[in-house]
Amino acid sequence: MTDPIIAVEHVTRQVSDSTGTLTILHDIDFALRPRQSTAIVGASGSGKSTLLAMMAGLDLPTTGTVRLDGIDLFALDEDARAAVRARKLGFVFQSFQLLAHLTALENVMLPLELLGRADARTKATEMLQRVGLAERLTHYPRTLSGGEQQRVALARAFVVQPAVLLADEPTGSLDFATGERVMALMFEMNREQGTTLVLVTHDQAIAARCDRQLHIEAGRLLPEAA
């Protein structure tokens, strides 16, 4: 039996204010196999994005923990968690999160440079060619279309060959046709690199393309269909 690449172990997240305590996630427990593609689906406010942040070690659980490739993220301090993220995680967001003052090439080079890779320019160039942006290397984000910006974000995420890619509504700000092209590219690169893919999405058609679907309702993980 293959060890899970990521295990969410009885995670609960609560926040308190003057009105009392709100439980955002209730005892979430599941594990994902390497190379698996999984969709996390649910209504707005159900806790999907909070769960994704927990899986990345970006938000602290009230109880429980997350293990990434066997590493207990919450046994580490923030600097150590950031180092694990740099080596093992890629991120794709609805809003692209590109650095406006860097070109497409420089945006994709950045995670490699942070890892001290001497081949950052070569690898970033190859990855941008792979996503069809060979003619856009020196363009800044403001001069790129939404679909082009998301492809730069994909190249940046995959260039470090992460063990896990986390994507939060990656087609949410794109038109249908552009979103379809971006998703096709994401699944192709998932298969080529063997990256475990975790998607937060409202789109049932996208969810249906994944190996597995996890449904969140009011912060609770629903039983999976047999």
Side-chain angles (χ1 to χ4, degrees), residues 53-107:
M54 292 286 176
M55 294 171 72
L58 292 170
D59 195 3
L60 298 176
T62 304
T63 61
T65 197
V66 174
R67 297 183 190 275
L68 175 59
D69 203 11
I71 300 169
D72 184 344
L73 291 179
F74 300 111
L76 306 175
D77 63 24
E78 178 50 40
D79 287 344
R81 283 198 299 275
V84 171
R85 281 194 293 270
R87 296 195 312 271
K88 295 183 178 292
L89 286 180
F91 298 90
V92 179
F93 302 95
Q94 179 177 340
S95 56
F96 316 134
Q97 299 289 333
L98 300 177
L99 296 178
H101 64 286
L102 299 182
T103 64
L105 179 60
E106 290 165 342
N107 266 283

Short mmCIF file of all heavy atoms in Angstrom, two decimals, residues 53-107:
data_model
loop_
_atom_site.label_atom_id
_atom_site.label_comp_id
_atom_site.label_asym_id
_atom_site.label_seq_id
_atom_site.Cartn_x
_atom_site.Cartn_y
_atom_site.Cartn_z
N ALA A 53 -5.90 25.96 2.63
CA ALA A 53 -4.86 26.68 3.38
C ALA A 53 -4.24 25.80 4.46
O ALA A 53 -3.03 25.85 4.72
CB ALA A 53 -5.43 27.96 3.99
N MET A 54 -5.06 24.98 5.11
CA MET A 54 -4.55 24.04 6.11
C MET A 54 -3.60 23.03 5.46
O MET A 54 -2.55 22.68 6.00
CB MET A 54 -5.70 23.28 6.77
CG MET A 54 -6.59 24.12 7.64
SD MET A 54 -5.80 24.53 9.18
CE MET A 54 -7.05 25.60 9.87
N MET A 55 -3.99 22.53 4.30
CA MET A 55 -3.17 21.53 3.62
C MET A 55 -1.81 22.09 3.22
O MET A 55 -0.83 21.35 3.11
CB MET A 55 -3.91 21.00 2.39
CG MET A 55 -5.17 20.22 2.73
SD MET A 55 -6.20 19.83 1.29
CE MET A 55 -5.19 18.57 0.51
N ALA A 56 -1.75 23.40 3.03
CA ALA A 56 -0.48 24.06 2.70
C ALA A 56 0.29 24.51 3.93
O ALA A 56 1.40 25.02 3.80
CB ALA A 56 -0.76 25.26 1.80
N GLY A 57 -0.31 24.37 5.10
CA GLY A 57 0.34 24.87 6.31
C GLY A 57 0.32 26.38 6.42
O GLY A 57 1.12 26.97 7.15
N LEU A 58 -0.62 27.02 5.69
CA LEU A 58 -0.72 28.49 5.72
C LEU A 58 -1.62 28.99 6.83
O LEU A 58 -1.56 30.15 7.22
CB LEU A 58 -1.24 28.99 4.38
CG LEU A 58 -0.30 28.81 3.19
CD1 LEU A 58 -1.03 29.10 1.89
CD2 LEU A 58 0.93 29.70 3.34
N ASP A 59 -2.50 28.12 7.33
CA ASP A 59 -3.42 28.46 8.41
C ASP A 59 -3.29 27.36 9.46
O ASP A 59 -3.12 26.19 9.12
CB ASP A 59 -4.85 28.54 7.88
CG ASP A 59 -5.79 29.22 8.85
OD1 ASP A 59 -5.32 29.70 9.91
OD2 ASP A 59 -7.00 29.29 8.56
N LEU A 60 -3.34 27.74 10.72
CA LEU A 60 -3.12 26.78 11.81
C LEU A 60 -4.43 26.15 12.25
O LEU A 60 -5.43 26.85 12.44
CB LEU A 60 -2.47 27.48 13.01
CG LEU A 60 -1.09 28.08 12.78
CD1 LEU A 60 -0.63 28.83 14.03
CD2 LEU A 60 -0.08 27.02 12.40
N PRO A 61 -4.46 24.83 12.43
CA PRO A 61 -5.68 24.19 12.94
C PRO A 61 -5.84 24.42 14.43
O PRO A 61 -4.86 24.64 15.15
CB PRO A 61 -5.42 22.71 12.63
CG PRO A 61 -3.94 22.56 12.73
CD PRO A 61 -3.38 23.85 12.21
N THR A 62 -7.07 24.37 14.89
CA THR A 62 -7.32 24.41 16.33
C THR A 62 -6.94 23.06 16.94
O THR A 62 -6.32 22.99 18.01
CB THR A 62 -8.79 24.73 16.60
OG1 THR A 62 -9.12 25.96 15.94
CG2 THR A 62 -9.05 24.88 18.09
N THR A 63 -7.31 21.99 16.27
CA THR A 63 -6.87 20.64 16.64
C THR A 63 -6.55 19.87 15.37
O THR A 63 -7.00 20.23 14.29
CB THR A 63 -7.94 19.87 17.43
OG1 THR A 63 -9.13 19.73 16.61
CG2 THR A 63 -8.32 20.59 18.72
N GLY A 64 -5.77 18.79 15.51
CA GLY A 64 -5.41 17.98 14.38
C GLY A 64 -4.14 18.46 13.71
O GLY A 64 -3.51 19.44 14.13
N THR A 65 -3.75 17.77 12.64
CA THR A 65 -2.54 18.15 11.92
C THR A 65 -2.64 17.72 10.46
O THR A 65 -3.58 17.03 10.06
CB THR A 65 -1.28 17.55 12.57
OG1 THR A 65 -0.14 18.26 12.10
CG2 THR A 65 -1.14 16.06 12.27
N VAL A 66 -1.65 18.14 9.69
CA VAL A 66 -1.52 17.75 8.27
C VAL A 66 -0.12 17.22 8.07
O VAL A 66 0.86 17.85 8.50
CB VAL A 66 -1.78 18.95 7.34
CG1 VAL A 66 -1.49 18.57 5.88
CG2 VAL A 66 -3.21 19.44 7.48
N ARG A 67 -0.01 16.08 7.41
CA ARG A 67 1.30 15.51 7.07
C ARG A 67 1.48 15.58 5.55
O ARG A 67 0.65 15.07 4.81
CB ARG A 67 1.41 14.06 7.55
CG ARG A 67 1.32 13.94 9.06
CD ARG A 67 1.49 12.50 9.54
NE ARG A 67 1.15 12.40 10.94
CZ ARG A 67 2.00 12.67 11.94
NH1 ARG A 67 3.24 13.03 11.66
NH2 ARG A 67 1.60 12.57 13.19
N LEU A 68 2.56 16.20 5.15
CA LEU A 68 2.91 16.32 3.74
C LEU A 68 4.13 15.46 3.47
O LEU A 68 5.21 15.73 4.02
CB LEU A 68 3.18 17.78 3.38
CG LEU A 68 3.68 18.06 1.96
CD1 LEU A 68 2.68 17.58 0.91
CD2 LEU A 68 3.97 19.55 1.78
N ASP A 69 3.94 14.42 2.68
CA ASP A 69 5.03 13.48 2.40
C ASP A 69 5.67 12.99 3.69
O ASP A 69 6.89 12.87 3.80
CB ASP A 69 6.07 14.13 1.49
CG ASP A 69 6.89 13.11 0.71
OD1 ASP A 69 6.52 11.92 0.71
OD2 ASP A 69 7.91 13.52 0.10
N GLY A 70 4.83 12.72 4.68
CA GLY A 70 5.28 12.20 5.96
C GLY A 70 5.72 13.25 6.97
O GLY A 70 6.00 12.91 8.13
N ILE A 71 5.78 14.51 6.57
CA ILE A 71 6.23 15.59 7.46
C ILE A 71 5.04 16.23 8.15
O ILE A 71 4.10 16.68 7.49
CB ILE A 71 7.01 16.66 6.67
CG1 ILE A 71 8.23 16.06 5.99
CG2 ILE A 71 7.41 17.82 7.58
CD1 ILE A 71 8.89 16.98 4.98
N ASP A 72 5.05 16.26 9.48
CA ASP A 72 4.00 16.92 10.26
C ASP A 72 4.21 18.43 10.15
O ASP A 72 5.10 18.99 10.80
CB ASP A 72 4.07 16.45 11.71
CG ASP A 72 2.95 17.02 12.57
OD1 ASP A 72 2.30 18.00 12.15
OD2 ASP A 72 2.73 16.49 13.68
N LEU A 73 3.39 19.10 9.34
CA LEU A 73 3.60 20.52 9.08
C LEU A 73 3.51 21.36 10.34
O LEU A 73 4.23 22.36 10.50
CB LEU A 73 2.58 21.02 8.05
CG LEU A 73 2.73 20.50 6.62
CD1 LEU A 73 1.63 21.08 5.74
CD2 LEU A 73 4.10 20.85 6.06
N PHE A 74 2.61 20.98 11.24
CA PHE A 74 2.37 21.83 12.40
C PHE A 74 3.25 21.48 13.59
O PHE A 74 3.11 22.06 14.66
CB PHE A 74 0.88 21.82 12.74
CG PHE A 74 0.06 22.34 11.59
CD1 PHE A 74 -0.78 21.49 10.88
CD2 PHE A 74 0.18 23.65 11.17
CE1 PHE A 74 -1.50 21.96 9.79
CE2 PHE A 74 -0.55 24.13 10.09
CZ PHE A 74 -1.39 23.28 9.40
N ALA A 75 4.19 20.55 13.38
CA ALA A 75 5.26 20.34 14.35
C ALA A 75 6.44 21.26 14.03
O ALA A 75 7.42 21.30 14.79
CB ALA A 75 5.71 18.88 14.34
N LEU A 76 6.37 22.00 12.90
CA LEU A 76 7.43 22.89 12.45
C LEU A 76 7.08 24.34 12.76
O LEU A 76 5.90 24.69 12.87
CB LEU A 76 7.63 22.75 10.94
CG LEU A 76 7.86 21.33 10.39
CD1 LEU A 76 7.92 21.38 8.86
CD2 LEU A 76 9.14 20.73 10.95
N ASP A 77 8.10 25.20 12.84
CA ASP A 77 7.82 26.63 12.93
C ASP A 77 7.54 27.16 11.52
O ASP A 77 7.69 26.44 10.53
CB ASP A 77 8.96 27.39 13.62
CG ASP A 77 10.29 27.33 12.87
OD1 ASP A 77 10.29 27.10 11.64
OD2 ASP A 77 11.33 27.50 13.52
N GLU A 78 7.15 28.42 11.42
CA GLU A 78 6.72 28.96 10.13
C GLU A 78 7.84 28.95 9.09
O GLU A 78 7.61 28.65 7.92
CB GLU A 78 6.16 30.37 10.28
CG GLU A 78 5.74 31.05 8.98
CD GLU A 78 4.83 30.18 8.10
OE1 GLU A 78 3.94 29.49 8.65
OE2 GLU A 78 5.03 30.17 6.86
N ASP A 79 9.06 29.24 9.51
CA ASP A 79 10.17 29.23 8.56
C ASP A 79 10.38 27.83 7.98
O ASP A 79 10.62 27.67 6.78
CB ASP A 79 11.46 29.72 9.23
CG ASP A 79 11.46 31.22 9.49
OD1 ASP A 79 10.62 31.92 8.89
OD2 ASP A 79 12.29 31.68 10.28
N ALA A 80 10.30 26.83 8.84
CA ALA A 80 10.48 25.45 8.38
C ALA A 80 9.33 25.03 7.48
O ALA A 80 9.54 24.32 6.49
CB ALA A 80 10.62 24.51 9.57
N ARG A 81 8.09 25.45 7.83
CA ARG A 81 6.95 25.14 6.95
C ARG A 81 7.13 25.79 5.59
O ARG A 81 6.84 25.18 4.55
CB ARG A 81 5.63 25.60 7.58
CG ARG A 81 5.12 24.70 8.68
CD ARG A 81 3.65 24.93 8.95
NE ARG A 81 3.35 26.28 9.39
CZ ARG A 81 3.43 26.71 10.63
NH1 ARG A 81 3.84 25.88 11.59
NH2 ARG A 81 3.12 27.94 10.95
N ALA A 82 7.62 27.03 5.57
CA ALA A 82 7.84 27.72 4.29
C ALA A 82 8.88 26.98 3.45
O ALA A 82 8.74 26.89 2.23
CB ALA A 82 8.29 29.16 4.56
N ALA A 83 9.90 26.44 4.09
CA ALA A 83 10.92 25.69 3.36
C ALA A 83 10.34 24.41 2.76
O ALA A 83 10.67 24.05 1.63
CB ALA A 83 12.09 25.36 4.29
N VAL A 84 9.46 23.73 3.50
CA VAL A 84 8.80 22.53 2.98
C VAL A 84 7.90 22.90 1.80
O VAL A 84 7.89 22.22 0.77
CB VAL A 84 7.99 21.83 4.09
CG1 VAL A 84 7.13 20.71 3.50
CG2 VAL A 84 8.91 21.26 5.16
N ARG A 85 7.15 24.00 1.93
CA ARG A 85 6.29 24.44 0.83
C ARG A 85 7.11 24.71 -0.43
O ARG A 85 6.71 24.35 -1.54
CB ARG A 85 5.52 25.71 1.22
CG ARG A 85 4.31 25.46 2.09
CD ARG A 85 3.42 26.69 2.16
NE ARG A 85 4.05 27.80 2.85
CZ ARG A 85 3.96 28.03 4.15
NH1 ARG A 85 3.28 27.20 4.92
NH2 ARG A 85 4.55 29.07 4.69
N ALA A 86 8.25 25.36 -0.27
CA ALA A 86 9.08 25.71 -1.42
C ALA A 86 9.55 24.47 -2.17
O ALA A 86 9.67 24.48 -3.39
CB ALA A 86 10.29 26.55 -0.96
N ARG A 87 9.80 23.38 -1.43
CA ARG A 87 10.31 22.16 -2.05
C ARG A 87 9.21 21.26 -2.59
O ARG A 87 9.40 20.57 -3.59
CB ARG A 87 11.13 21.34 -1.04
CG ARG A 87 12.38 22.00 -0.53
CD ARG A 87 13.29 20.98 0.16
NE ARG A 87 12.58 20.14 1.12
CZ ARG A 87 12.40 20.43 2.39
NH1 ARG A 87 12.84 21.60 2.87
NH2 ARG A 87 11.77 19.59 3.20
N LYS A 88 8.05 21.24 -1.94
CA LYS A 88 7.09 20.18 -2.21
C LYS A 88 5.73 20.64 -2.72
O LYS A 88 4.91 19.81 -3.12
CB LYS A 88 6.87 19.36 -0.93
CG LYS A 88 8.13 18.60 -0.49
CD LYS A 88 7.88 17.73 0.72
CE LYS A 88 9.12 16.96 1.10
NZ LYS A 88 9.47 15.94 0.10
N LEU A 89 5.43 21.95 -2.67
CA LEU A 89 4.10 22.42 -3.03
C LEU A 89 4.15 23.43 -4.17
O LEU A 89 5.06 24.26 -4.25
CB LEU A 89 3.42 23.09 -1.84
CG LEU A 89 2.89 22.21 -0.71
CD1 LEU A 89 2.27 23.09 0.36
CD2 LEU A 89 1.88 21.21 -1.21
N GLY A 90 3.15 23.36 -5.04
CA GLY A 90 2.89 24.40 -6.01
C GLY A 90 1.50 24.96 -5.77
O GLY A 90 0.63 24.27 -5.24
N PHE A 91 1.29 26.23 -6.16
CA PHE A 91 0.00 26.89 -5.94
C PHE A 91 -0.48 27.55 -7.22
O PHE A 91 0.31 28.17 -7.94
CB PHE A 91 0.13 27.98 -4.87
CG PHE A 91 0.54 27.50 -3.52
CD1 PHE A 91 1.88 27.44 -3.18
CD2 PHE A 91 -0.41 27.10 -2.59
CE1 PHE A 91 2.28 27.00 -1.93
CE2 PHE A 91 -0.02 26.65 -1.33
CZ PHE A 91 1.32 26.60 -1.00
N VAL A 92 -1.78 27.44 -7.48
CA VAL A 92 -2.43 28.18 -8.56
C VAL A 92 -3.69 28.79 -7.97
O VAL A 92 -4.51 28.08 -7.37
CB VAL A 92 -2.78 27.29 -9.76
CG1 VAL A 92 -3.47 28.11 -10.84
CG2 VAL A 92 -1.53 26.64 -10.33
N PHE A 93 -3.86 30.11 -8.15
CA PHE A 93 -4.97 30.83 -7.56
C PHE A 93 -5.87 31.41 -8.65
O PHE A 93 -5.44 31.62 -9.78
CB PHE A 93 -4.47 31.97 -6.67
CG PHE A 93 -3.57 31.54 -5.55
CD1 PHE A 93 -2.20 31.58 -5.71
CD2 PHE A 93 -4.08 31.09 -4.35
CE1 PHE A 93 -1.35 31.17 -4.68
CE2 PHE A 93 -3.26 30.68 -3.32
CZ PHE A 93 -1.88 30.73 -3.49
N GLN A 94 -7.10 31.71 -8.26
CA GLN A 94 -8.04 32.34 -9.18
C GLN A 94 -7.50 33.69 -9.68
O GLN A 94 -7.68 34.05 -10.84
CB GLN A 94 -9.40 32.54 -8.50
CG GLN A 94 -10.44 33.22 -9.35
CD GLN A 94 -11.78 33.32 -8.64
OE1 GLN A 94 -12.04 32.58 -7.70
NE2 GLN A 94 -12.63 34.22 -9.08
N SER A 95 -6.82 34.42 -8.79
CA SER A 95 -6.36 35.78 -9.12
C SER A 95 -4.92 35.81 -9.63
O SER A 95 -4.30 36.87 -9.66
CB SER A 95 -6.49 36.67 -7.89
OG SER A 95 -5.79 36.11 -6.79
N PHE A 96 -4.37 34.67 -10.00
CA PHE A 96 -3.06 34.51 -10.65
C PHE A 96 -1.88 34.74 -9.70
O PHE A 96 -0.92 33.99 -9.72
CB PHE A 96 -2.91 35.40 -11.89
CG PHE A 96 -4.09 35.43 -12.80
CD1 PHE A 96 -4.58 36.62 -13.31
CD2 PHE A 96 -4.76 34.25 -13.15
CE1 PHE A 96 -5.67 36.65 -14.14
CE2 PHE A 96 -5.86 34.27 -13.99
CZ PHE A 96 -6.32 35.48 -14.48
N GLN A 97 -1.91 35.84 -8.91
CA GLN A 97 -0.86 36.13 -7.93
C GLN A 97 0.52 36.25 -8.58
O GLN A 97 1.53 35.84 -8.00
CB GLN A 97 -0.84 35.05 -6.84
CG GLN A 97 -2.11 34.91 -6.03
CD GLN A 97 -2.35 36.08 -5.09
OE1 GLN A 97 -1.40 36.75 -4.66
NE2 GLN A 97 -3.60 36.33 -4.75
N LEU A 98 0.57 36.84 -9.76
CA LEU A 98 1.85 37.13 -10.38
C LEU A 98 2.41 38.44 -9.84
O LEU A 98 1.65 39.33 -9.44
CB LEU A 98 1.70 37.22 -11.90
CG LEU A 98 1.17 35.96 -12.61
CD1 LEU A 98 1.01 36.23 -14.10
CD2 LEU A 98 2.08 34.77 -12.37
N LEU A 99 3.73 38.57 -9.83
CA LEU A 99 4.36 39.81 -9.38
C LEU A 99 4.42 40.77 -10.56
O LEU A 99 5.05 40.49 -11.58
CB LEU A 99 5.76 39.52 -8.84
CG LEU A 99 5.79 38.64 -7.59
CD1 LEU A 99 7.22 38.36 -7.16
CD2 LEU A 99 5.00 39.27 -6.46
N ALA A 100 3.76 41.92 -10.41
CA ALA A 100 3.56 42.84 -11.53
C ALA A 100 4.87 43.41 -12.07
O ALA A 100 4.96 43.75 -13.26
CB ALA A 100 2.64 43.98 -11.11
N HIS A 101 5.89 43.54 -11.23
CA HIS A 101 7.13 44.17 -11.65
C HIS A 101 8.11 43.16 -12.28
O HIS A 101 9.21 43.55 -12.68
CB HIS A 101 7.82 44.86 -10.47
CG HIS A 101 8.25 43.92 -9.38
ND1 HIS A 101 7.35 43.34 -8.52
CD2 HIS A 101 9.48 43.46 -9.04
CE1 HIS A 101 8.01 42.56 -7.67
NE2 HIS A 101 9.29 42.60 -7.97
N LEU A 102 7.70 41.90 -12.39
CA LEU A 102 8.54 40.88 -13.01
C LEU A 102 7.92 40.43 -14.32
O LEU A 102 6.70 40.36 -14.46
CB LEU A 102 8.68 39.67 -12.08
CG LEU A 102 9.34 39.88 -10.73
CD1 LEU A 102 9.43 38.56 -9.97
CD2 LEU A 102 10.72 40.52 -10.87
N THR A 103 8.76 40.10 -15.29
CA THR A 103 8.27 39.55 -16.55
C THR A 103 7.75 38.14 -16.34
O THR A 103 7.94 37.54 -15.27
CB THR A 103 9.40 39.50 -17.60
OG1 THR A 103 10.40 38.58 -17.14
CG2 THR A 103 10.02 40.87 -17.83
N ALA A 104 7.11 37.59 -17.37
CA ALA A 104 6.64 36.20 -17.28
C ALA A 104 7.80 35.27 -16.93
O ALA A 104 7.68 34.40 -16.05
CB ALA A 104 6.00 35.79 -18.60
N LEU A 105 8.93 35.44 -17.62
CA LEU A 105 10.09 34.59 -17.36
C LEU A 105 10.58 34.76 -15.92
O LEU A 105 10.87 33.76 -15.23
CB LEU A 105 11.21 34.93 -18.34
CG LEU A 105 12.51 34.13 -18.17
CD1 LEU A 105 12.26 32.64 -18.34
CD2 LEU A 105 13.57 34.62 -19.16
N GLU A 106 10.67 35.99 -15.45
CA GLU A 106 11.16 36.23 -14.09
C GLU A 106 10.21 35.68 -13.04
O GLU A 106 10.65 35.18 -12.00
CB GLU A 106 11.38 37.74 -13.89
CG GLU A 106 12.54 38.29 -14.69
CD GLU A 106 12.56 39.81 -14.78
OE1 GLU A 106 11.50 40.44 -14.53
OE2 GLU A 106 13.61 40.36 -15.14
N ASN A 107 8.89 35.75 -13.30
CA ASN A 107 7.92 35.16 -12.38
C ASN A 107 8.13 33.66 -12.23
O ASN A 107 8.05 33.11 -11.13
CB ASN A 107 6.49 35.45 -12.84
CG ASN A 107 5.88 36.68 -12.21
OD1 ASN A 107 5.46 36.67 -11.06
ND2 ASN A 107 5.85 37.76 -12.97
#
